[in-house]
């Protein structure tokens, strides 16, 4: 009690002294800025006990501090720090110091000394640890001043001998983050010159596991900062691999891994023998050993790191898959070996006899190595691990290693195929993906293919689709394999009709990959007969289409095959070529179809270029002729896009662009432009609509296509500007209100400016264009009256209407990069929109609608893709799917599987709603790279959005109709 | 069967109390008279620990506790406690009701026995009494199987029971921390086997079942009620789910249903997958697996039936087998080992005509498959466990001697620890190196600290002086003064004296001075005084010089030191024996 009273008296006392002393500067501060420091100071002075003070500090920490007042705040905090007797308050102050020194724009070098001084007479270990942390923050904020670092390092070394583990931890962390990479200058008390590494490595043997971990982490940190770790550390790290504590082992695994990358070729002796091996092999062996560690965290870590040790020698690598089986001391063949043997001997798997796998040879007891020494069987263990995290890590590691070594890929095949049967779907999926990635190296045997194909019946769509993807890339060895695959795929098609597209695609690749294997199967597949005509199969049968896809794709590179076809096959080809052009090859079957001789990418490209060249002559044509030319070109391009999938994006892009031009041309060429306003009302309407449409199209052009360069973007913006000009003119003609005209004029001028700003580099390419002219007139424009401005615009627009169409140049540039332009597309797979059964639900409640869609070439779908639901009454909802609903099955492809909730008031009868996907865009995202991140406060919401930013959405999928029926609630 | 007696630190513990299934007479139970001829076992045993519910590990429990007489605690895990009585009851029914044996334990005895059971949780340390503590670890094998770590003072034993180091479809892998027991008692059923990966076997199994079902055949899987049966159920259930199959799966009813109930209940004892997904759906709530009725066997169309018992020697599995044997589309899958003489054994050996009772013969046309699903650790697994626990000694039980011999060699070679493999009834004694905890007085420690030296390092031993007092069952280390005070004894001075002869032509005083300078140069950091009374004092050691009577050149040095300065004193005497360096003035 007495002590408490004394404390209070002390505090009271300090308050009395402090207030008059600090009052004046506090007031001054208040004048210049919102005086955070003053407020804090007063708060702290008001605090009568430590709990209060702590509360104030906590409260204070929630608010951001301006850069200029940081130093003041720090001073006040430090002042209070010295007075404070309570550890927790001091701790909080210390942590606040750290936070404050992170404030952007504040250079903490002025508080280094104070911070170091506080260490001097600190008794509490916890506070000491926190102070070291603060110093660490300060140190990292000042990467440019070696003197400060040197001081900090010295301080850290001094406190390394602290008895509290936290302090040692922080010191090591500090050494790791700030330790000088090149200068070995820290002096020990014996006067020995020691470098940071040896100091840190001393603590590898610390009594506290947390400190050992921190030491390893600090060493890793040094490595990350580009310091070369000495090779001596290797031995020490290896010893720590058998530490009692998992976090130490985990860090040690990392350390060994780092060293194996630094010194892969060094030679290390094998203990208890006089052999020597490469360090990377030794490390590989040791880490492999950790795959059977007791802690699963370590196992995951070990399995992961194994994957990136590509320099390891092949014999060690192959040991990881080695597991000698024995039974009663007799060598037994693994099931894999047996399967292989059966396969090579041409026997069918019997498995009927009990002693089928009976052990054969007698093993010499001395050669059996029970405990996996070194790399032996690491992956065998990893893949059989209890935790799926370890299994996934092992699968990934296998993948990485297999990609770099074909022979290893061959060997690990069996194991990966085994993983297709894992109990966790993620693991199955992952192993299918991995197999796909390494499939360039491997050819599947029949029995392996059999196992792979068995998974086709899996009820999970993800698995099936991954498998289809895999089959697309797989090489098989015999025609039986092809037949087997076809059979299984047809079975799959039968069982899951929704997989249709995926199965066809799969067969397309299968056919084009193995033309010679398909050839002998053709008569059987098409069920042709040498003498008899067989009935013509049903063209709408998905299974028949599947067979045709396989055959036609094989025929592409096998000229002898078409000879085997019957007449109707050719007919079917031309039908399919039209209806499923993406699945069928464009050339190779010359006898079948000469209509689309333009098949290869090159010729298509040529065609694209020619069409665009043709458009360039448009200036010389009369208006109707020009319009016709544009019309035809647009049509051609659209068709080209359909036929040549590689060029679809570019062709489509050009077509849309030309359409904008066409619209603009039409709008401008209306003869009624010079008429009096009231007379041309109707004309105005169409022109307004055209302007609006052009605007929309330009947004589509800008955001729907990926792979555009700034030239194209500039062109798009240019058209947009024209459209805006058109709009402005139209507004001026129709509406009388001068105010609105003035404001829109101003807005237009702003637009021009921002265009100029954004596309400064592109301006030279836009000579003689609309913008070019406008910019010439700019000084006049900005000073003149709105009416005058409109007039100028009108003339410029009409004059430049044809002149500025310098498309050839621009489109040539599009053309040269044509392969890169892709259109973002989305297809809603589910709901199919074919159901006649309405989805019934009670009004006021919700019903979940499953949506499954594939998205292609969409950038950042998690943020941009939205689902729109349109109700018959015109209501529309936009739903933002969760980021987790997007999957990425392949490059540039995304899959959205989500649920949207529908609800509505009661209807008398079922009706259809429309569901579609929207691509959201905002023009600010192109002009500003990314909003700069703010400091430690959470006041991001205050970021002003640029006024020019236009946000909107583009529907980019076909709408799907869903039949729903909200029933009235029953009483 | 397993029944192991361990004496550790004065405590007697019985590990498992199994019975032998092969015998029908007294030999089936362990010989409890080994412990005591007359009287109850309670006086001789401190506790009984049951590792899991298999009858070869717990079958003799009611016999021991009720018929022989034991009232002490019996420890087992919760699932074991739940399932054990079901099995015992079933076993009792077969023996008493079917075979008509008398002198067997009754249902009431099983109940009474179970009342003495204390349940254990995983990783929970249970104090049996003041000194004895036990802790259970997960062992895989079957639901509720546990390994136990038994500790008395600083001595400890780990008993594994049966365990499995590779996870399966419903259970995880055994795990133990680095507890470094003095002895690790491990089963060694598969001492000489290294098994192939589980996945191949599973895949084979599923493929066979699937193919058979697609052909429209019926599949019979004879199983024993608990353990593997659940694993296979899960396997098939998930496969059905994944592949969208519709053919029915049946499970012959009986005690399995009760047991399945417990599997549902003890989710925490199962593997990662089941534990993670049970919130959505408990994997043991089978969607595709239904209870079997006798009449279903004649239903047309494909089906899969699990039926007991596992070796096709009797019961439902045999009945179904008889019905289905004639059709080559059907299939029987034997998931485990079959004893010689059973039908299971015969058909596995390829016999196609079976003689049934009543001289009728049965043509076996269905396919017979063998799939081994065993949940014991193989040789690699055993080695892995040793590596995990790092025991100081190893003891192998529950296996065949020849096979154990091989494993023993391997263990001794790899880990360089002693390995034992006692036969039944044999006792192995392992000497341990127990550490004895001693209280140390704070003053003494502080004084030791004040003497300086590096910070204490727990990994390095350090010597210190003190007096050990053993009093009333406690040990105390105190400083000698305190000990004297406490014990009321007078302090005795113990001094060593020593004569050293030295060839030195100088006079006595000169010699003394020479010694003084010599010592001064050698012993830095010690107080060395040259006293006026003709002596040199090094700390408390007195050195005097006198000439010998016969030869004035031979000087006799007299050294005298107290017991406390023994180190320094003996150092000085050896130093001086070497003589003085000639360069001294």
């Amino acid at each position: 009690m007495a002590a408490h009273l004394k404390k209070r008296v002390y505090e009271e006392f300090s308050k009395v002294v402090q207030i008059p002393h600090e009052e004046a500067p506090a007031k001054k501060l208040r004048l210049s800025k919102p005086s955070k420091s003053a407020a804090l100071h007063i708060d702290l002075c008001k605090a009568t006990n430590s709990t209060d003070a702590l509360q104030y500090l906590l409260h204070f920490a929630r608010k951001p501090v301006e850069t200029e007042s940081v130093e003041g705040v720090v001073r006040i905090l430090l002042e209070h720090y010295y007075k404070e007797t309570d550890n927790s308050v001091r701790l909080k102050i210390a942590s606040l110091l750290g936070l404050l020194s992170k404030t952007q724009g504040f250079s903490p070098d002025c508080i280094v000394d104070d911070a170091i001084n506080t260490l001097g007479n600190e008794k509490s270990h916890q506070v000491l640890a926190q102070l070291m942390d603060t110093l660490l923050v300060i140190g990292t904020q000042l990467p440019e001043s070696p003197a400060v670092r040197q001081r900090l390092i010295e301080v850290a070394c001094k406190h390394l001998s602290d008895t509290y583990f936290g302090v040692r931890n922080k010191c090591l962390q500090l050494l790791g983050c700030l330790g000088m990479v090149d200068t070995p200058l820290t002096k020990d008390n014996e006067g020995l010159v020691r470098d940071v590494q040896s100091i840190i490595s001393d603590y590898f043997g610390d009594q506290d596991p947390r400190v050992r971990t921190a030491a390893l982490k600090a060493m890793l940190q040094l490595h990350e900062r580009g310091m070369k770790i000495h090779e001596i550390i290797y031995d020490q790290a290896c010893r720590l691999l058998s530490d009692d504590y998992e976090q130490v082992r985990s860090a040690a695994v990392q350390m060994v891994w780092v060293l194996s990358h630094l010194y892969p070729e060094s030679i290390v002796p094998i203990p208890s023998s006089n052999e020597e091996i490469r360090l990377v092999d030794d490390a590989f062996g040791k880490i492999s050993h950790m795959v059977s560690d007791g802690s699963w965290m370590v196992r995951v870590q070990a399995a992961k790191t194994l994957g990136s040790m590509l320099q390891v020698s092949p014999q060690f690598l192959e040991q990881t898959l080695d597991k000698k089986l024995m039974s009663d001391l007799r060598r037994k063949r693994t099931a894999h070996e047996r399967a292989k043997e059966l396969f090579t001997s041409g026997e069918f798997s019997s498995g009927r006899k009990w002693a089928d796998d009976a052990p054969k040879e007698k093993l010499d007891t001395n050669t059996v190595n029970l405990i996996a020494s070194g790399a032996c069987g690491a992956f065998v263990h990893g893949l059989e691990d209890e935790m799926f995290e370890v299994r996934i890590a092992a699968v990934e590691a296998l993948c990485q290693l297999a990609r770099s070594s074909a022979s290893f890929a061959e060997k690990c095949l069996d194991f990966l195929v085994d993983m297709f049967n894992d109990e966790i779907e993620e693991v199955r999926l992952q192993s299918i993906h991995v197999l796909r990635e390494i499939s360039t190296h491997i050819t599947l045997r029949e029995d392996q293919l059999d196992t792979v194909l068995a998974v086709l019946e899996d009820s999970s769509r993800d698995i099936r689709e991954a498998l289809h993807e895999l089959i697309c890339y797989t090489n098989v060895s015999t025609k039986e394999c092809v037949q087997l695959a076809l059979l299984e795929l047809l079975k799959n098609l039968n069982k899951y009709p929704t997989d249709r597209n995926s199965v066809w695609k799969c067969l397309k690749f299968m056919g084009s990959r193995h033309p010679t294997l398909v050839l002998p199967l053709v008569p059987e597949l098409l069920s042709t007969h040498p003498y008899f005509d067989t009935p013509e199969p049903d063209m709408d049968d998905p299974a028949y289409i599947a067979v045709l896809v396989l055959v036609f794709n094989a025929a592409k590179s096998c000229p002898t095959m078409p000879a085997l076809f019957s007449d109707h096959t050719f007919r079917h080809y031309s039908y399919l070529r039209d209806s499923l052009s993406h699945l069928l090859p464009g050339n190779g079957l010359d006898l079948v179809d000469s209509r689309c001789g333009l098949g290869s990418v090159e010729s298509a490209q040529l065609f694209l270029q020619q069409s665009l060249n043709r458009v360039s002559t448009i200036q010389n044509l009369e208006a109707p002729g020009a319009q016709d030319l544009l019309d035809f070109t647009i049509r051609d391009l659209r068709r080209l896009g359909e036929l040549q999938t590689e060029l679809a994006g570019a062709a489509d892009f050009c077509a849309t662009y030309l359409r904008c031009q066409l619209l603009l041309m039409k709008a401008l060429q209306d003869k009624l432009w010079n008429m009096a306003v009231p007379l041309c009302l109707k004309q105005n309407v169409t022109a307004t609509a055209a302007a609006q449409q052009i605007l929309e199209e330009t947004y589509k052009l800008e955001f729907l296509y990926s792979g555009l360069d700034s030239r194209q973007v500039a062109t798009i913006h240019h058209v947009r500007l024209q459209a805006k000009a058109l709009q402005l003119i139209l507004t001026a003609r129709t509406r009388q209100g001068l105010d609105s005209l003035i404001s829109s004029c101003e807005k237009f001028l702003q637009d021009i400016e921002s265009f100029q700003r954004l596309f400064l580099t592109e301006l030279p390419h836009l000579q003689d264009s609309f913008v070019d002219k406008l910019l010439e007139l700019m000084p006049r424009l900005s000073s003149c009256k709105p009416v005058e401005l409109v007039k100028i615009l009108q003339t410029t627009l009409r004059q430049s209407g044809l002149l500025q169409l310098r498309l050839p140049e621009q489109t040539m540039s599009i053309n040269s990069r044509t392969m890169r332009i892709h259109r973002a597309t989305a297809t809603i797979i589910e709901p199919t929109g074919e159901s006649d059964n309405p989805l019934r639900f009670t009004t006021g409640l919700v019903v979940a609608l499953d949506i499954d869609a594939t998205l292609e070439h969409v950038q950042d779908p998690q943020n941009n893709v939205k689902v729109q639901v349109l109700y018959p009454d015109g209501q529309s909802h936009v739903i933002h799917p969760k980021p987790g609903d997007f999957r990425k099955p392949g490059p540039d492809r995304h899959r959205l599987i989500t649920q949207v909730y529908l609800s509505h008031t009661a209807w008398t009868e079922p009706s259809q709603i429309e569901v579609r996907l929207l691509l959201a865009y905002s023009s600010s995202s192109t002009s500003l790279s990314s909003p700069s991140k703010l400091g430690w406060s959470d006041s991001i919401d205050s970021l002003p959005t640029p006024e020019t930013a236009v946000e909107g959405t583009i529907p980019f999928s076909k709408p799907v109709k869903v039949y729903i029926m909200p029933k009235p609630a029953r009483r | 069967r397993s029944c192991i007696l361990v004496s550790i630190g004065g405590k007697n513990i019985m590990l498992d109390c199994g019975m032998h299934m092969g015998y029908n007479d007294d030999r089936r139970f362990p010989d409890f008279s080994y412990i005591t001829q007359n009287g109850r076992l309670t006086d001789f045993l401190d506790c009984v620990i049951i590792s899991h519910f298999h009858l070869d590990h717990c079958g003799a429990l009611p016999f021991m506790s009720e018929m022989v007489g034991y009232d002490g605690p019996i420890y087992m895990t919760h699932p074991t406690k739940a399932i054990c009585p079901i099995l015992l009851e079933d076993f009792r029914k077969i023996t008493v009701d079917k075979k008509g044996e008398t002198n067997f334990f009754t249902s009431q005895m099983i109940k009474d026995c179970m009342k003495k059971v204390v349940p254990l949780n995983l990783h929970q340390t249970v104090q049996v009494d003041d000194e004895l503590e036990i802790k259970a670890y997960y062992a895989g094998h079957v639901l509720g199987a546990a390994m136990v770590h038994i500790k008395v003072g600083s001595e400890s034993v780990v008993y594994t029971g049966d365990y499995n180091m590779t996870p399966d479809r419903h259970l995880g892998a055994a795990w133990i921390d680095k507890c470094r027991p003095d002895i690790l008692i491990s089963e060694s059923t598969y001492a000489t086997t290294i098994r192939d990966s589980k996945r191949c076997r599973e895949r084979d199994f599923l493929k066979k079942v699937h193919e058979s079902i697609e052909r429209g055949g019926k599949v019979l899987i004879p199983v024993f009620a608990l353990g593997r049966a659940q694993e296979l159920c899960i396997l098939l259930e998930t496969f059905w789910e994944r592949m969208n199959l519709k053919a029915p799966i049946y499970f012959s009813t009986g005690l399995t249903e009760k047991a399945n109930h417990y599997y549902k209940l003890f989710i925490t004892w199962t593997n990662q997958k089941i534990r993670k997904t049970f919130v959505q759906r408990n994997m043991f709530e089978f969607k595709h697996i239904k209870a079997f009725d006798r009449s279903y066997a004649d239903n047309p169309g494909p089906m899969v039936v699990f039926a007991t018992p596992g070796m096709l020697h009797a019961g439902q599995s045999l009945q179904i087998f008889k019905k289905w044997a004639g059709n080559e589309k059907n299939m029987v899958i034997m998931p485990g080992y079959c004893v010689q003489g059973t039908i299971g054994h015969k058909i596995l050996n390829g016999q196609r005509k079976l003689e049934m009772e009543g001289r009728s013969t049965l043509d076996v046309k269905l396919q017979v498959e063998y799939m081994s699903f065993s949940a014991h650790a193989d040789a690699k697994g055993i080695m892995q466990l040793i590596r995990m626990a790092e025991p100081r000694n190893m003891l192998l039980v529950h296996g065949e001697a020849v096979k154990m011999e091989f494993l023993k060699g391997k263990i001794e070679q790899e880990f360089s620890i002693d390995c034992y493999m006692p036969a039944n009834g044999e006792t192995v004694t392992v000497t341990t190196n127990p550490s004895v905890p001693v209280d140390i007085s704070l003053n003494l420690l502080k004084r030791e600290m004040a003497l300086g030296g590096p910070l204490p390092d727990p990994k390095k031993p350090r010597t210190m002086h003190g007096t050990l007092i053993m009093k009333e069952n406690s040990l105390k280390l105190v400083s000698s003064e305190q000990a004297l005070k406490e014990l009321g004894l007078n302090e005795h001075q113990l001094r060593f004296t020593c004569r050293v002869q030295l060839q030195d032509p100088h006079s006595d005083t000169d010699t003394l001075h020479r010694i003084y300078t010599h010592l001064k140069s050698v012993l830095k950091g010690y107080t060395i005084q040259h006293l006026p009374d003709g002596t040199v004092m090094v700390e408390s050691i007195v050195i005097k010089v006198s000439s010998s009577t016969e030869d004035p050149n031979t000087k006799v040095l007299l050294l005298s030191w107290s017991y406390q300065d023994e180190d320094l004193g003996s150092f000085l005497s050896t130093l001086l024996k070497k003589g003085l360096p000639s360069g001294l003035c």
Side-chain angles (χ1 to χ4, degrees), chain B residues 68-166:
Chain B
V68 181
Y70 169 74
D71 299 321
I74 302 170
Y75 289 95
M76 49 176 86
T77 61
H78 284 280
T80 311
K81 187 184 175 188
I83 298 173
C84 194
I86 308 177
L87 281 178
L88 286 171
E89 179 61 31
D90 185 60
F91 173 59
R92 191 197 62 81
K93 256 192 224 154
I94 290 173
T95 351
V96 178
D97 299 353
K98 290 237 171 95
K99 293 184 188 157
E101 277 189 52
T102 49
N103 190 22
F104 205 75
F105 51 77
T106 60
S107 299
Q108 190 54 45
M109 283 182 182
I110 298 175
K111 278 181 197 150
D112 290 341
C113 168
M114 284 301 140
K115 281 180 193 149
K116 296 174 187 169
V117 170
V118 185
L120 278 176
N121 277 320
L122 280 186
H123 303 179
Q124 172 200 15
T125 307
V126 174
Q127 292 282 350
V128 177
D129 55 35
D130 289 344
E131 290 153 44
L132 176 63
E133 61 181 48
I134 56 177
K135 183 175 175 186
Y137 290 95
Y138 191 72
H141 189 61
V142 287
L143 190 76
M147 308 193 273
V148 271
H149 181 221
I150 302 149
K151 200 172 159 198
V152 180
S154 64
E155 296 171 300
S156 60
V157 173
V158 169
Y159 172 62
T160 63
D162 287 354
Y163 63 102
N164 189 8
M165 294 299 283
T166 45

Side-chain angles (χ1 to χ4, degrees), chain B residues 30-81:
Chain B
D31 181 12
F32 292 107
S33 62
Y34 180 86
I35 303 171
T36 169
Q37 295 291 340
N38 41 19
R40 298 175 71 80
L41 294 170
T42 319
D43 308 332
F44 298 90
L45 289 177
D46 289 285
C47 74
V48 175
I49 300 169
I50 303 293
S51 67
H52 63 280
F53 61 66
H54 278 159
L55 286 182
D56 58 344
H57 289 261
C58 70
L61 198 60
F63 175 77
M64 180 194 85
S65 70
E66 305 309 313
M67 295 169 82
V68 181
Y70 169 74
D71 299 321
I74 302 170
Y75 289 95
M76 49 176 86
T77 61
H78 284 280
T80 311
K81 187 184 175 188

